[in-house]
Amino acid sequence: MAEAMQERRTDFGPPHYEQFLPPIIKENYGKWKYHEVLKPGVMVHVSESDAKLYTIRAASGRLVSIDKIRMFCDLADKYCDGYFRFTSRHNVEFLTPKQENIEPLIEDLKKIGHPIGGIGNAITSIIHTQGWVHCHSAATDASGVVKAVMDDLIEYFTETKLPGKLRIALACCLNMCGAVHCSDIAILGVHRRPPVIDHDRLNKMCEIPSVSASCPTAAIRPATVDGKPSVEVIEERCMFCANCYTVCPSMPLNDPLNDGISIWVGGKVSNARHEPMFSKLAIPFIPNNPPRWPEVTEAVRSLVELWAKNANRYERMGEWIERIGWPRFFKMSGIEFQKEHIDDFKHAGLTYKRSTHLTY
């Protein structure tokens, strides 16, 4: 009995990543000399022992079916000894030490509708949130907008003709499950009206203390309405985050007329050449116009091409804007400066130190 207790597994966390690495990576772990991009979507890593690992990156949706995953698995078994991975921005990458497998793999990926690209000076797949398909607080769709935008910008995925790399993200509301705070161009769904309160049903469906506590700006407080216990919303404090709706279905926030999309620019995570930067507001509001969101698609393309035409080599969107200045950026882009562009948040981004570069 004591021996059985000793052998019982007590750690049920995620398995160690090492067991999923291809043998060539295990053999050369920490010994890679360099990597280079061979052509759009294909790069090679070379180790100290001259071993080579080829990466083939293909576009992939964030929401994929089991059938699609099995297709990827079949291709990985056929060309890559069973090894492939998904990147943090929803690309699918196939890893193989066999150079002769690259072109046949690319042809098979194209046959099932997955273009090759997204490496180097290109747009990679757009990271995004759930949108209308799943999220209850979404102000816009995610998959639909991303599909429309990437269909329009696919040339910048399959080719490397941009000055540097460009990262685009989408979050369907300002709770920001995506990476809109740190991407070159961010598409952010926005609510513009406070929640509508169903006073007749609220006390039957919701715990009023929990509803009040859910608000990050203390905009909700208990109230008696028509003799019934309920809550009231202080509208000037509401930031339209839908936290209250998360805990109380009697406070819906979605509004077809006033929900829409904002565009943000200039964020990045990289420490290269410049410390990390937060995204800043460019276009305050664009109405939802499904299924193809032409206004959003046009706005994003306009920003991409403006940056591509004027940026220096390897200069990210935010670095370019900082170099020329925000007034000139607004003038060049034709974006009208509005009251929403004034950053009056007491914890605005410039108050944070965002870099690993320390100055004494």
Side-chain angles (χ1 to χ4, degrees):
M1 183 67 175
E3 293 180 358
M5 289 293 290
Q6 289 177 356
E7 294 176 358
R8 181 178 297 171
R9 181 183 177 190
T10 58
D11 180 7
F12 287 90
H16 197 279
Y17 67 87
E18 185 178 328
Q19 63 183 283
F20 302 109
L21 296 178
I24 187 173
I25 293 182
K26 289 183 180 180
E27 295 165 4
N28 296 277
Y29 201 88
K31 300 177 182 178
W32 299 100
K33 288 194 300 184
Y34 66 92
H35 69 275
E36 62 180 338
V37 179
L38 301 180
K39 66 177 189 175
V42 180
M43 65 178 175
V44 60
H45 286 78
V46 181
S47 77
E48 295 172 357
S49 64
D50 289 329
K52 295 181 179 180
L53 177 67
Y54 297 93
T55 299
I56 299 91
R57 176 181 291 185
S60 175
R62 181 179 185 271
L63 304 178
V64 294
S65 66
I66 294 174
D67 290 338
K68 179 65 70 173
I69 294 173
R70 285 173 175 161
M71 291 180 189
F72 290 153
C73 291
D74 289 341
L75 291 176
D77 288 338
K78 184 176 181 180
Y79 296 110
C80 306
D81 301 318
Y83 292 98
F84 76 103
R85 74 185 194 102
F86 291 97
T87 72
S88 60
R89 286 184 177 263
H90 315 323
N91 304 282
V92 57
E93 288 188 346
F94 294 86
L95 311 171
T96 177
K98 303 172 183 176
Q99 186 175 8
E100 63 272 16
N101 286 351
I102 295 175
E103 292 304 323
L105 172 58
I106 290 174
E107 290 303 314
D108 282 356
L109 282 166
K110 288 181 178 178
K111 288 177 183 177
I112 61 173
H114 291 268
I116 309 301
I119 293 178
N121 296 350
I123 297 175
T124 191
S125 294
I126 300 177
I127 188 172
H128 66 88
T129 55
Q130 300 285 351
W132 289 335
V133 73
H134 177 73
C135 183
H136 66 271
S137 63
T140 189
D141 193 24
S143 300
V145 178
V146 166
K147 171 65 174 170
V149 171
M150 281 305 292
D151 279 353
D152 186 63
L153 297 177
I154 192 63
E155 63 184 286
Y156 296 114
F157 179 88
T158 57
E159 301 176 39
T160 54
K161 57 184 180 181
L162 294 174
K165 63 182 178 181
L166 190 79
R167 300 291 178 258
I168 304 178
L170 183 148
C172 51
C173 77
L174 55 74
N175 284 318
M176 198 177 63
C177 304
V180 292
H181 66 296
C182 60
S183 295
D184 297 284
I185 298 176
I187 305 166
L188 175 62
V190 288
H191 301 285
R192 299 193 299 169
R193 293 293 184 273
V196 177
I197 306 172
D198 186 345
H199 295 290
D200 292 332
R201 303 174 62 191
L202 187 139
N203 191 42
K204 302 172 185 177
M205 302 177 66
C206 314
E207 295 179 349
I208 291 177
S210 297
V211 177
S212 298
S214 71
C215 183
T217 59
I220 300 174
R221 60 190 179 190
T224 300
V225 180
D226 297 330
K228 300 175 183 177
S230 187
V231 298
E232 63 180 359
V233 176
I234 306 171
E235 292 192 14
E236 60 268 23
R237 290 187 182 178
C238 180
M239 59 184 285
F240 320 120
C241 68
N243 277 6
C244 54
Y245 181 53
T246 301
V247 299
C248 183
S250 294
M251 298 183 67
L253 189 66
N254 294 342
D255 182 342
L257 179 61
N258 290 292
D259 290 353
I261 286 174
S262 59
I263 306 293
W264 301 64
V265 296
K268 74 178 189 114
V269 177
S270 168
N271 260 319
R273 298 172 302 279
H274 189 289
E275 66 185 35
M277 309 170 75
F278 282 126
S279 306
K280 294 184 181 295
L281 180 65
I283 302 175
F285 185 78
I286 301 173
N288 279 315
N289 190 7
R292 298 298 296 180
W293 281 270
E295 298 87 355
V296 176
T297 299
E298 181 182 351
V300 174
R301 172 173 277 275
S302 175
L303 289 168
V304 170
E305 294 183 341
L306 180 66
W307 164 75
K309 182 180 178 180
N310 295 281
N312 295 330
R313 184 71 169 167
Y314 301 121
E315 193 171 40
R316 298 287 292 270
M317 174 76 76
E319 296 166 357
W320 167 65
I321 295 173
E322 190 172 273
R323 175 170 62 83
I324 67 172
W326 283 91
R328 189 177 177 200
F329 165 74
F330 278 106
K331 185 176 181 179
M332 294 175 67
S333 63
I335 297 172
E336 179 184 355
F337 188 86
Q338 303 177 49
K339 63 180 182 180
E340 289 84 2
H341 288 107
I342 300 173
D343 189 355
D344 59 354
F345 181 49
K346 64 181 179 180
H347 297 304
L350 293 179
T351 64
Y352 293 116
K353 183 61 179 175
R354 294 157 284 165
S355 174
T356 58
H357 304 124
L358 301 180
T359 303
Y360 296 95

